Amino acid sequence: GGSARVAWETARALAVRGHSVRLVAGLGAPADPRTEGGFTARWFPYPARGGFFPTRTLRLAVDLRGAVHDVLAGARPAAVIAHQPLTAWLARRLRELHGVPLVYVFHSPWHREYELNVGLGLPGTDGALGPFTRVRVRAGSRLRRVLEGSVVRGAARVLTLSEFMAREAAAAHGIDPARTER
């Protein structure tokens, strides 16, 4: 997707500038680690949508921890650049990354993307969702907003790719737009 491409290109550009870069990213299918463009990439299985969110998140946490542990091999990074709110939130809890500054790239409001993906808030769709589904979707949206807000407010820096997304980050998470960098 778009954020994965931005992460890849950012890693490559930083490596070209002489930084030691290790990319850890989730993929839907298994892939071997590889070194390319001056940096090492290590993938972990990213669970597909659907299923029970807490179970998927626990599996993601275990796989993410293993990938970070493998790619760091005892090294301590100067910073973590994160592009996805759930993995950023989980990464902040890893012992290996405790105290490492987080730079968060805000691509879009996670909760709003979720709402649009399930049809909440689109004209003529709210009535199509049953009452239980609406409650579940609203709870899922709220959880995503809280998790992403925690990441955004806890980041040493918040990067956006446009002025529009800087305003979206500010509106969704109550941060000063001047705190973001484009």
Side-chain angles (χ1 to χ4, degrees):
S3 62
R5 180 64 179 202
V6 172
W8 183 267
E9 294 300 330
T10 300
R12 190 163 60 175
L14 288 170
V16 165
R17 291 181 181 191
H19 296 278
S20 173
V21 178
R22 295 174 181 105
L23 175 68
V24 176
L27 281 181
D32 292 328
R34 73 184 209 210
T35 300
E36 180 179 307
F39 68 93
T40 301
R42 166 71 162 79
W43 290 274
F44 59 91
Y46 197 89
R49 290 182 187 169
F52 188 53
F53 184 77
T55 304
R56 286 185 6 246
T57 303
L58 180 58
R59 179 78 252 158
L60 176 63
V62 169
D63 292 339
L64 173 65
R65 185 185 186 290
V68 167
H69 181 77
D70 288 351
V71 81
L72 289 181
R76 182 137 177 99
V80 171
I81 302 173
H83 292 261
Q84 201 276 342
L86 181 56
T87 52
W89 187 84
L90 291 169
R92 287 180 56 212
R93 279 136 187 83
L94 295 177
R95 183 177 56 246
E96 294 95 336
L97 300 177
H98 182 74
V100 175
L102 173 71
V103 176
Y104 182 66
V105 183
F106 182 89
H107 291 276
S108 64
W110 186 31
H111 72 283
R112 188 65 186 130
E113 277 192 14
Y114 171 72
E115 291 170 357
L116 293 171
N117 284 335
V118 297
L120 185 67
L122 295 175
T125 59
D126 274 355
L129 300 174
F132 177 74
T133 301
R134 271 197 308 279
V135 168
R136 182 182 55 77
V137 167
R138 289 188 195 285
S141 175
R142 177 73 179 138
L143 176 62
R144 284 163 175 81
R145 188 175 192 158
V146 167
L147 288 177
E148 185 176 61
S150 170
V151 169
V152 167
R153 286 186 296 280
R157 295 270 192 256
V158 177
L159 306 179
T160 63
L161 302 180
S162 69
E163 242 354 275
F164 175 77
M165 277 305 149
R167 288 190 304 271
E168 288 289 305
H173 302 299
I175 63 167
D176 181 352
R179 226 185 115 220
T180 62
E181 295 181 39
R182 282 144 306 288

